[in-house]
Amino acid sequence: MANTAGPVPKPTPMEEFVLETEQAVIGLMLRSPSKIRDMLEQIDERDFAEEAHQTILAGMRWLVGQGKPVTPFSLPPVLGPDREVSKGVTFARYIQE
């Protein structure tokens, strides 16, 4: 039986820009732990188009609510360390890159 799904469409330049911008915001938050609480007051999961980024932001919000530090090492266990962002890429690997 032939594969009818076809190739995955290439993202448009705007979709790539949105993805890179969301990655930059998450990266900035992880590099600025003293600012995370302030940043979480300004943005919401719905501000992100990418579902994985919504999940990461929700994990950050949960850690802050628990009074725990948000780091590239504390976040993956909250998100599910073996849970995949995309095929073969776990949240742990995605965040640490």
Side-chain angles (χ1 to χ4, degrees), residues 11-93:
T12 66
M14 180 56 83
E15 290 169 334
E16 286 183 22
F17 175 76
V18 168
L19 178 67
E20 290 171 4
T21 301
E22 290 179 4
Q23 288 171 333
V25 170
I26 290 169
L28 177 64
M29 292 175 79
L30 289 171
R31 287 176 182 81
S32 306
S34 65
K35 304 285 187 199
I36 287 179
R37 185 176 297 278
D38 293 338
M39 294 170 95
L40 287 172
E41 290 176 5
Q42 302 298 316
I43 59 175
D44 187 83
E45 289 81 351
R46 295 171 295 187
D47 294 329
F48 289 109
E50 188 70 29
E51 184 179 346
H53 297 156
Q54 294 170 357
T55 301
I56 291 168
L57 193 70
M60 290 178 165
R61 192 176 305 284
W62 185 87
L63 284 168
V64 167
Q66 298 296 310
K68 297 180 179 181
V70 178
T71 71
F73 303 102
S74 66
L75 197 50
V78 171
L79 305 175
D82 297 327
R83 186 172 162 199
E84 292 185 342
V85 175
S86 60
K87 187 158 179 69
V89 180
T90 63
F91 273 104
R93 181 173 156 205

